[in-house]
Amino acid sequence: MTARVRPLTTYWKKDVILGNKFRTINIPDMNADFITKYHQRLRKETRDFAERELRPRIPTMEASRSVDYNLSRLIAKQGWIGVTIGPEYGDMGLGHLAKTIIIKELSRVSAAMGAMVQASQLGVAKILHFGNQEQKQKWLPAVASGQCLPTIAVTEVESGGHILGMNARAVRDGDDYILNGRKVFVGNSHVGDLHGVVVRTGLGSKGLSAFLVEKNRPGFSLAPHRPSMGLHGFSFGELIFENCRIPKANILGQEGDGMAVAYSSSVLYGRANLTAVALGIHRALLEDTIALLYQTSALC
């Protein structure tokens, strides 16, 4: 009979003002059997980074409502964008649990930066699952080292999330494709280096294909960044393609695999990633609520 391993119980410290004095309180952290000591260490490293690097920058991001390019790059250099990339390409290969921990801990301090990380992890998914060996060798080490922020671009103004309703199109021209159209609400639009773009190459569900488009490719441009109501510091803007010539070597998978590329990124990574962002926000709410209750009780 195998003995059941008891969950690790840890506490996070939070400084609060009780009366006219500072006091440190312990807030329990709930863990399950599948949380290992390595996950505990990763969580502490991410939380320490968030407190040290993110929290002091929040007032500036909120006031300017602009994209924080330098902070996005600093986070990328930690190797967290490529946490699911294997060591053969230079990263951790730690899987979805570690990815969730990273996003949650960043979002606990800054939902904008948690959103930034999760958006580029969507871009990683398409290369991991549909990239050929040459594409993986070229781009995954760059992601792992923090030199490349990938994105995924699917949504359009007219069709929204209805993938089959998209109008952006790629037309074959010899060994190249010519891309025309626009994509909106692209996470990391204004800090991304490599955009995974799903466009029409034919009719129906098999008439969608996905391409890797570098940010400096002729015919590609960005619409001006528009400040949003929230997530200040994070960019989710518009990509513009005007006779943008893409070599055949940049196609992900085969022609006609575009729907699978889009859904694999959104289902395997996207839904879970956004849950992790929400989890981080709720963790912050819980901690602040507990701290407020301590402060209130001290006044009674």
Side-chain angles (χ1 to χ4, degrees):
M1 181 176 178
T2 303
R4 178 178 172 84
V5 179
R6 297 189 61 177
L8 297 172
T9 301
T10 60
Y11 294 86
W12 296 105
K13 298 183 182 299
K14 187 176 182 70
D15 292 329
V16 298
I17 300 175
L18 300 180
N20 58 356
K21 296 181 180 180
F22 276 99
R23 177 182 170 186
T24 299
I25 62 174
N26 292 322
I27 299 177
D29 216 353
M30 294 171 285
N31 298 314
D33 296 320
F34 51 78
I35 297 292
T36 66
K37 289 183 178 179
Y38 182 84
H39 290 119
Q40 296 279 10
R41 185 166 67 250
L42 176 64
R43 179 162 56 181
K44 185 179 186 306
E45 290 173 356
T46 311
R47 181 169 291 202
D48 290 345
F49 175 91
E51 292 290 349
R52 182 179 66 253
E53 302 292 347
L54 303 191
R55 195 174 294 281
R57 290 174 165 87
I58 290 176
T60 300
M61 288 193 292
E62 291 297 319
S64 66
R65 301 176 68 189
S66 60
V67 180
D68 197 321
Y69 179 88
N70 292 330
L71 185 54
S72 298
R73 292 291 163 181
L74 179 61
I75 293 173
K77 288 180 180 179
Q78 309 309 307
W80 295 331
I81 303 297
V83 66
T84 56
I85 297 174
E88 67 272 24
Y89 297 110
D91 216 306
M92 305 176 187
L94 294 179
H96 291 275
L97 178 56
K99 171 173 64 69
T100 301
I101 289 171
I102 290 168
I103 297 171
K104 177 247 184 179
E105 290 301 329
L106 294 176
S107 299
R108 170 185 165 271
V109 174
S110 170
M113 291 300 104
M116 187 284 293
V117 169
Q118 73 84 25
S120 273
Q121 287 173 344
L122 297 184
V124 169
K126 67 183 185 299
I127 303 174
L128 275 177
H129 296 287
F130 290 91
N132 58 38
Q133 196 58 37
E134 290 184 3
Q135 291 166 342
K136 290 179 180 179
Q137 290 285 359
K138 180 177 181 179
W139 294 111
L140 294 183
V143 174
S145 65
Q147 300 303 307
C148 175
L149 283 171
T151 77
I152 184 78
V154 178
T155 306
E156 297 183 8
V157 171
E158 295 84 4
S159 56
H162 176 44
I163 294 178
L164 290 178
M166 68 174 58
N167 293 313
R169 184 170 297 275
V171 178
R172 185 73 177 267
D173 183 32
D175 290 333
D176 298 333
Y177 287 83
I178 309 298
L179 271 64
N180 280 284
R182 293 175 175 241
K183 296 292 180 178
V184 297
F185 303 130
V186 178
N188 288 337
S189 54
H190 287 64
V191 298
D193 302 295
L194 182 69
H195 303 287
V197 187
V198 180
V199 296
R200 281 221 160 271
T201 51
L203 301 175
S205 60
K206 285 295 184 181
L208 300 177
S209 301
F211 298 87
L212 295 172
V213 182
E214 302 90 336
K215 68 176 182 180
N216 58 354
R217 188 163 288 278
F220 167 73
S221 62
L222 293 165
H225 178 257
R226 300 171 62 184
S228 60
M229 292 182 65
L231 295 179
H232 301 145
F234 174 56
S235 64
F236 41 102
E238 183 175 5
L239 313 185
I240 303 170
F241 304 92
E242 298 176 305
N243 294 324
C244 183
R245 183 174 291 271
I246 306 297
K248 181 183 177 183
N250 281 30
I251 194 168
L252 278 168
Q254 304 296 321
E255 187 172 310
D257 285 345
M259 177 172 281
V261 172
Y263 278 136
S264 69
S265 294
S266 64
V267 174
L268 290 178
Y269 281 65
R271 300 300 182 262
N273 284 4
L274 292 176
T275 301
V277 173
L279 185 61
I281 295 171
H282 281 79
R283 178 69 198 188
L285 288 172
L286 174 64
E287 292 180 8
D288 287 347
T289 300
I290 292 174
L292 179 62
L293 290 174
Y294 270 93
Q295 293 169 349
T296 303
S297 63
L299 298 174
C300 295

mmCIF file of all heavy atoms in Angstrom, residues 34-64:
data_model
loop_
_atom_site.group_PDB
_atom_site.id
_atom_site.type_symbol
_atom_site.label_atom_id
_atom_site.label_comp_id
_atom_site.label_asym_id
_atom_site.label_seq_id
_atom_site.Cartn_x
_atom_site.Cartn_y
_atom_site.Cartn_z
ATOM 1 N N PHE A 34 0.272 17.468 -6.120
ATOM 2 C CA PHE A 34 1.121 17.527 -7.313
ATOM 3 C C PHE A 34 2.073 18.711 -7.319
ATOM 4 O O PHE A 34 2.836 18.889 -8.253
ATOM 5 C CB PHE A 34 0.252 17.564 -8.577
ATOM 6 C CG PHE A 34 -0.822 18.614 -8.560
ATOM 7 C CD1 PHE A 34 -0.527 19.948 -8.813
ATOM 8 C CD2 PHE A 34 -2.139 18.256 -8.287
ATOM 9 C CE1 PHE A 34 -1.519 20.905 -8.808
ATOM 10 C CE2 PHE A 34 -3.133 19.223 -8.260
ATOM 11 C CZ PHE A 34 -2.829 20.546 -8.527
ATOM 12 N N ILE A 35 2.051 19.540 -6.292
ATOM 13 C CA ILE A 35 3.002 20.644 -6.199
ATOM 14 C C ILE A 35 4.307 20.110 -5.611
ATOM 15 O O ILE A 35 4.337 19.608 -4.497
ATOM 16 C CB ILE A 35 2.458 21.777 -5.307
ATOM 17 C CG1 ILE A 35 1.198 22.374 -5.926
ATOM 18 C CG2 ILE A 35 3.514 22.852 -5.111
ATOM 19 C CD1 ILE A 35 1.415 23.117 -7.201
ATOM 20 N N THR A 36 5.390 20.204 -6.364
ATOM 21 C CA THR A 36 6.674 19.703 -5.920
ATOM 22 C C THR A 36 7.500 20.831 -5.291
ATOM 23 O O THR A 36 7.140 22.005 -5.365
ATOM 24 C CB THR A 36 7.468 19.121 -7.100
ATOM 25 O OG1 THR A 36 7.796 20.182 -8.004
ATOM 26 C CG2 THR A 36 6.648 18.070 -7.842
ATOM 27 N N LYS A 37 8.618 20.458 -4.710
ATOM 28 C CA LYS A 37 9.511 21.464 -4.139
ATOM 29 C C LYS A 37 10.040 22.380 -5.233
ATOM 30 O O LYS A 37 10.288 23.565 -4.982
ATOM 31 C CB LYS A 37 10.657 20.785 -3.398
ATOM 32 C CG LYS A 37 10.224 20.102 -2.106
ATOM 33 C CD LYS A 37 11.414 19.514 -1.365
ATOM 34 C CE LYS A 37 10.970 18.868 -0.057
ATOM 35 N NZ LYS A 37 12.118 18.267 0.680
ATOM 36 N N TYR A 38 10.235 21.838 -6.448
ATOM 37 C CA TYR A 38 10.703 22.704 -7.526
ATOM 38 C C TYR A 38 9.647 23.755 -7.868
ATOM 39 O O TYR A 38 9.972 24.919 -8.098
ATOM 40 C CB TYR A 38 11.042 21.907 -8.781
ATOM 41 C CG TYR A 38 11.574 22.822 -9.858
ATOM 42 C CD1 TYR A 38 12.907 23.190 -9.879
ATOM 43 C CD2 TYR A 38 10.717 23.388 -10.796
ATOM 44 C CE1 TYR A 38 13.387 24.076 -10.819
ATOM 45 C CE2 TYR A 38 11.192 24.281 -11.740
ATOM 46 C CZ TYR A 38 12.524 24.616 -11.752
ATOM 47 O OH TYR A 38 12.989 25.503 -12.678
ATOM 48 N N HIS A 39 8.373 23.342 -7.889
ATOM 49 C CA HIS A 39 7.305 24.301 -8.168
ATOM 50 C C HIS A 39 7.256 25.371 -7.072
ATOM 51 O O HIS A 39 7.002 26.541 -7.353
ATOM 52 C CB HIS A 39 5.960 23.582 -8.273
ATOM 53 C CG HIS A 39 5.828 22.728 -9.495
ATOM 54 N ND1 HIS A 39 5.627 21.375 -9.428
ATOM 55 C CD2 HIS A 39 5.892 23.041 -10.816
ATOM 56 C CE1 HIS A 39 5.565 20.882 -10.653
ATOM 57 N NE2 HIS A 39 5.726 21.869 -11.510
ATOM 58 N N GLN A 40 7.511 24.940 -5.841
ATOM 59 C CA GLN A 40 7.549 25.914 -4.754
ATOM 60 C C GLN A 40 8.657 26.940 -4.983
ATOM 61 O O GLN A 40 8.467 28.147 -4.775
ATOM 62 C CB GLN A 40 7.791 25.199 -3.414
ATOM 63 C CG GLN A 40 6.684 24.237 -2.999
ATOM 64 C CD GLN A 40 5.510 24.958 -2.366
ATOM 65 O OE1 GLN A 40 5.430 26.177 -2.397
ATOM 66 N NE2 GLN A 40 4.585 24.203 -1.791
ATOM 67 N N ARG A 41 9.816 26.466 -5.409
ATOM 68 C CA ARG A 41 10.938 27.370 -5.646
ATOM 69 C C ARG A 41 10.651 28.299 -6.825
ATOM 70 O O ARG A 41 10.950 29.505 -6.769
ATOM 71 C CB ARG A 41 12.203 26.554 -5.896
ATOM 72 C CG ARG A 41 13.451 27.427 -6.024
ATOM 73 C CD ARG A 41 14.723 26.602 -5.921
ATOM 74 N NE ARG A 41 14.890 25.693 -7.048
ATOM 75 C CZ ARG A 41 14.789 24.374 -6.967
ATOM 76 N NH1 ARG A 41 14.497 23.810 -5.799
ATOM 77 N NH2 ARG A 41 14.972 23.619 -8.017
ATOM 78 N N LEU A 42 10.074 27.736 -7.891
ATOM 79 C CA LEU A 42 9.728 28.552 -9.055
ATOM 80 C C LEU A 42 8.728 29.630 -8.671
ATOM 81 O O LEU A 42 8.841 30.795 -9.100
ATOM 82 C CB LEU A 42 9.144 27.666 -10.165
ATOM 83 C CG LEU A 42 8.643 28.390 -11.420
ATOM 84 C CD1 LEU A 42 9.789 29.088 -12.139
ATOM 85 C CD2 LEU A 42 7.930 27.410 -12.359
ATOM 86 N N ARG A 43 7.762 29.278 -7.860
ATOM 87 C CA ARG A 43 6.757 30.243 -7.439
ATOM 88 C C ARG A 43 7.391 31.367 -6.605
ATOM 89 O O ARG A 43 7.064 32.544 -6.778
ATOM 90 C CB ARG A 43 5.648 29.555 -6.647
ATOM 91 C CG ARG A 43 4.587 30.518 -6.153
ATOM 92 C CD ARG A 43 3.317 29.830 -5.776
ATOM 93 N NE ARG A 43 3.531 28.789 -4.783
ATOM 94 C CZ ARG A 43 2.545 28.029 -4.311
ATOM 95 N NH1 ARG A 43 1.315 28.192 -4.750
ATOM 96 N NH2 ARG A 43 2.802 27.101 -3.412
ATOM 97 N N LYS A 44 8.293 30.991 -5.715
ATOM 98 C CA LYS A 44 8.967 32.012 -4.905
ATOM 99 C C LYS A 44 9.818 32.927 -5.779
ATOM 100 O O LYS A 44 9.812 34.159 -5.596
ATOM 101 C CB LYS A 44 9.828 31.358 -3.827
ATOM 102 C CG LYS A 44 10.461 32.376 -2.879
ATOM 103 C CD LYS A 44 11.293 31.715 -1.810
ATOM 104 C CE LYS A 44 11.795 32.753 -0.794
ATOM 105 N NZ LYS A 44 12.504 33.879 -1.424
ATOM 106 N N GLU A 45 10.546 32.360 -6.729
ATOM 107 C CA GLU A 45 11.374 33.180 -7.618
ATOM 108 C C GLU A 45 10.513 34.146 -8.426
ATOM 109 O O GLU A 45 10.864 35.324 -8.574
ATOM 110 C CB GLU A 45 12.168 32.270 -8.557
ATOM 111 C CG GLU A 45 13.265 31.469 -7.871
ATOM 112 C CD GLU A 45 13.907 30.460 -8.795
ATOM 113 O OE1 GLU A 45 13.449 30.335 -9.963
ATOM 114 O OE2 GLU A 45 14.869 29.783 -8.364
ATOM 115 N N THR A 46 9.393 33.650 -8.933
ATOM 116 C CA THR A 46 8.513 34.503 -9.733
ATOM 117 C C THR A 46 7.872 35.579 -8.863
ATOM 118 O O THR A 46 7.782 36.749 -9.265
ATOM 119 C CB THR A 46 7.416 33.662 -10.413
ATOM 120 O OG1 THR A 46 8.000 32.540 -11.061
ATOM 121 C CG2 THR A 46 6.666 34.494 -11.436
ATOM 122 N N ARG A 47 7.438 35.201 -7.662
ATOM 123 C CA ARG A 47 6.799 36.175 -6.773
ATOM 124 C C ARG A 47 7.798 37.248 -6.336
ATOM 125 O O ARG A 47 7.463 38.441 -6.311
ATOM 126 C CB ARG A 47 6.201 35.474 -5.555
ATOM 127 C CG ARG A 47 5.510 36.427 -4.598
ATOM 128 C CD ARG A 47 4.694 35.717 -3.552
ATOM 129 N NE ARG A 47 3.519 35.073 -4.120
ATOM 130 C CZ ARG A 47 2.434 34.745 -3.416
ATOM 131 N NH1 ARG A 47 2.358 35.035 -2.139
ATOM 132 N NH2 ARG A 47 1.419 34.140 -4.000
ATOM 133 N N ASP A 48 9.013 36.835 -6.029
ATOM 134 C CA ASP A 48 10.033 37.819 -5.638
ATOM 135 C C ASP A 48 10.320 38.782 -6.786
ATOM 136 O O ASP A 48 10.468 40.000 -6.572
ATOM 137 C CB ASP A 48 11.320 37.110 -5.209
ATOM 138 C CG ASP A 48 11.173 36.378 -3.880
ATOM 139 O OD1 ASP A 48 10.187 36.642 -3.161
ATOM 140 O OD2 ASP A 48 12.046 35.547 -3.560
ATOM 141 N N PHE A 49 10.416 38.252 -8.001
ATOM 142 C CA PHE A 49 10.645 39.095 -9.174
ATOM 143 C C PHE A 49 9.497 40.083 -9.347
ATOM 144 O O PHE A 49 9.715 41.274 -9.616
ATOM 145 C CB PHE A 49 10.775 38.221 -10.424
ATOM 146 C CG PHE A 49 10.901 38.992 -11.709
ATOM 147 C CD1 PHE A 49 12.150 39.337 -12.214
ATOM 148 C CD2 PHE A 49 9.772 39.368 -12.421
ATOM 149 C CE1 PHE A 49 12.264 40.060 -13.398
ATOM 150 C CE2 PHE A 49 9.874 40.084 -13.602
ATOM 151 C CZ PHE A 49 11.122 40.430 -14.089
ATOM 152 N N ALA A 50 8.267 39.590 -9.207
ATOM 153 C CA ALA A 50 7.102 40.457 -9.389
ATOM 154 C C ALA A 50 7.080 41.589 -8.374
ATOM 155 O O ALA A 50 6.782 42.744 -8.713
ATOM 156 C CB ALA A 50 5.822 39.628 -9.302
ATOM 157 N N GLU A 51 7.407 41.282 -7.133
ATOM 158 C CA GLU A 51 7.424 42.321 -6.106
ATOM 159 C C GLU A 51 8.554 43.321 -6.343
ATOM 160 O O GLU A 51 8.387 44.526 -6.129
ATOM 161 C CB GLU A 51 7.571 41.685 -4.720
ATOM 162 C CG GLU A 51 6.374 40.864 -4.265
ATOM 163 C CD GLU A 51 5.161 41.725 -3.960
ATOM 164 O OE1 GLU A 51 5.287 42.966 -3.901
ATOM 165 O OE2 GLU A 51 4.069 41.148 -3.778
ATOM 166 N N ARG A 52 9.702 42.810 -6.799
ATOM 167 C CA ARG A 52 10.876 43.655 -6.958
ATOM 168 C C ARG A 52 10.826 44.490 -8.236
ATOM 169 O O ARG A 52 11.178 45.685 -8.227
ATOM 170 C CB ARG A 52 12.120 42.764 -6.978
ATOM 171 C CG ARG A 52 13.450 43.524 -7.082
ATOM 172 C CD ARG A 52 14.621 42.577 -7.064
ATOM 173 N NE ARG A 52 14.682 41.711 -8.239
ATOM 174 C CZ ARG A 52 14.394 40.425 -8.255
ATOM 175 N NH1 ARG A 52 14.010 39.815 -7.140
ATOM 176 N NH2 ARG A 52 14.474 39.713 -9.364
ATOM 177 N N GLU A 53 10.384 43.890 -9.350
ATOM 178 C CA GLU A 53 10.472 44.543 -10.656
ATOM 179 C C GLU A 53 9.139 45.100 -11.162
ATOM 180 O O GLU A 53 9.122 46.115 -11.858
ATOM 181 C CB GLU A 53 11.035 43.561 -11.697
ATOM 182 C CG GLU A 53 12.414 43.000 -11.361
ATOM 183 C CD GLU A 53 13.501 44.047 -11.429
ATOM 184 O OE1 GLU A 53 13.263 45.146 -11.961
ATOM 185 O OE2 GLU A 53 14.620 43.770 -10.951
ATOM 186 N N LEU A 54 8.039 44.439 -10.833
ATOM 187 C CA LEU A 54 6.747 44.870 -11.376
ATOM 188 C C LEU A 54 6.062 45.920 -10.508
ATOM 189 O O LEU A 54 5.617 46.955 -11.006
ATOM 190 C CB LEU A 54 5.810 43.673 -11.558
ATOM 191 C CG LEU A 54 6.272 42.521 -12.438
ATOM 192 C CD1 LEU A 54 5.106 41.568 -12.707
ATOM 193 C CD2 LEU A 54 6.868 43.009 -13.740
ATOM 194 N N ARG A 55 5.969 45.621 -9.227
ATOM 195 C CA ARG A 55 5.167 46.499 -8.372
ATOM 196 C C ARG A 55 5.627 47.958 -8.396
ATOM 197 O O ARG A 55 4.780 48.868 -8.473
ATOM 198 C CB ARG A 55 5.130 45.961 -6.936
ATOM 199 C CG ARG A 55 4.031 46.610 -6.107
ATOM 200 C CD ARG A 55 3.898 45.983 -4.720
ATOM 201 N NE ARG A 55 3.457 44.602 -4.732
ATOM 202 C CZ ARG A 55 2.191 44.217 -4.889
ATOM 203 N NH1 ARG A 55 1.251 45.135 -5.095
ATOM 204 N NH2 ARG A 55 1.873 42.941 -4.861
ATOM 205 N N PRO A 56 6.936 48.249 -8.364
ATOM 206 C CA PRO A 56 7.339 49.669 -8.398
ATOM 207 C C PRO A 56 6.970 50.369 -9.705
ATOM 208 O O PRO A 56 6.870 51.602 -9.728
ATOM 209 C CB PRO A 56 8.866 49.597 -8.240
ATOM 210 C CG PRO A 56 9.130 48.283 -7.598
ATOM 211 C CD PRO A 56 8.095 47.364 -8.147
ATOM 212 N N ARG A 57 6.762 49.623 -10.784
ATOM 213 C CA ARG A 57 6.471 50.230 -12.081
ATOM 214 C C ARG A 57 4.973 50.441 -12.325
ATOM 215 O O ARG A 57 4.595 51.105 -13.286
ATOM 216 C CB ARG A 57 7.025 49.354 -13.202
ATOM 217 C CG ARG A 57 8.554 49.326 -13.285
ATOM 218 C CD ARG A 57 8.988 48.305 -14.353
ATOM 219 N NE ARG A 57 10.376 48.441 -14.749
ATOM 220 C CZ ARG A 57 11.401 47.861 -14.151
ATOM 221 N NH1 ARG A 57 11.170 47.093 -13.074
ATOM 222 N NH2 ARG A 57 12.636 48.027 -14.591
ATOM 223 N N ILE A 58 4.135 49.874 -11.491
ATOM 224 C CA ILE A 58 2.694 49.930 -11.730
ATOM 225 C C ILE A 58 2.156 51.364 -11.771
ATOM 226 O O ILE A 58 1.376 51.708 -12.677
ATOM 227 C CB ILE A 58 1.938 49.084 -10.685
ATOM 228 C CG1 ILE A 58 2.208 47.594 -10.947
ATOM 229 C CG2 ILE A 58 0.439 49.370 -10.737
ATOM 230 C CD1 ILE A 58 1.595 46.668 -9.930
ATOM 231 N N PRO A 59 2.531 52.250 -10.853
ATOM 232 C CA PRO A 59 2.002 53.627 -10.936
ATOM 233 C C PRO A 59 2.310 54.300 -12.269
ATOM 234 O O PRO A 59 1.456 55.000 -12.828
ATOM 235 C CB PRO A 59 2.703 54.329 -9.771
ATOM 236 C CG PRO A 59 3.001 53.249 -8.793
ATOM 237 C CD PRO A 59 3.347 52.053 -9.626
ATOM 238 N N THR A 60 3.515 54.084 -12.801
ATOM 239 C CA THR A 60 3.879 54.687 -14.083
ATOM 240 C C THR A 60 3.061 54.097 -15.217
ATOM 241 O O THR A 60 2.573 54.832 -16.095
ATOM 242 C CB THR A 60 5.378 54.488 -14.369
ATOM 243 O OG1 THR A 60 6.142 55.104 -13.317
ATOM 244 C CG2 THR A 60 5.768 55.108 -15.700
ATOM 245 N N MET A 61 2.895 52.775 -15.212
ATOM 246 C CA MET A 61 2.098 52.134 -16.270
ATOM 247 C C MET A 61 0.650 52.602 -16.219
ATOM 248 O O MET A 61 0.031 52.843 -17.264
ATOM 249 C CB MET A 61 2.169 50.603 -16.137
ATOM 250 C CG MET A 61 3.506 50.017 -16.518
ATOM 251 S SD MET A 61 3.463 48.210 -16.720
ATOM 252 C CE MET A 61 3.188 47.673 -15.035
ATOM 253 N N GLU A 62 0.106 52.728 -15.031
ATOM 254 C CA GLU A 62 -1.276 53.170 -14.902
ATOM 255 C C GLU A 62 -1.445 54.616 -15.343
ATOM 256 O O GLU A 62 -2.445 54.989 -15.952
ATOM 257 C CB GLU A 62 -1.738 53.008 -13.450
ATOM 258 C CG GLU A 62 -1.898 51.566 -13.003
ATOM 259 C CD GLU A 62 -2.970 50.842 -13.803
ATOM 260 O OE1 GLU A 62 -4.030 51.440 -14.076
ATOM 261 O OE2 GLU A 62 -2.744 49.670 -14.169
ATOM 262 N N ALA A 63 -0.461 55.444 -15.041
ATOM 263 C CA ALA A 63 -0.558 56.855 -15.402
ATOM 264 C C ALA A 63 -0.373 57.086 -16.893
ATOM 265 O O ALA A 63 -1.088 57.897 -17.501
ATOM 266 C CB ALA A 63 0.485 57.664 -14.620
ATOM 267 N N SER A 64 0.562 56.368 -17.505
ATOM 268 C CA SER A 64 0.868 56.595 -18.919
ATOM 269 C C SER A 64 -0.065 55.836 -19.853
ATOM 270 O O SER A 64 -0.274 56.246 -20.993
ATOM 271 C CB SER A 64 2.310 56.188 -19.212
ATOM 272 O OG SER A 64 2.476 54.791 -19.063
#
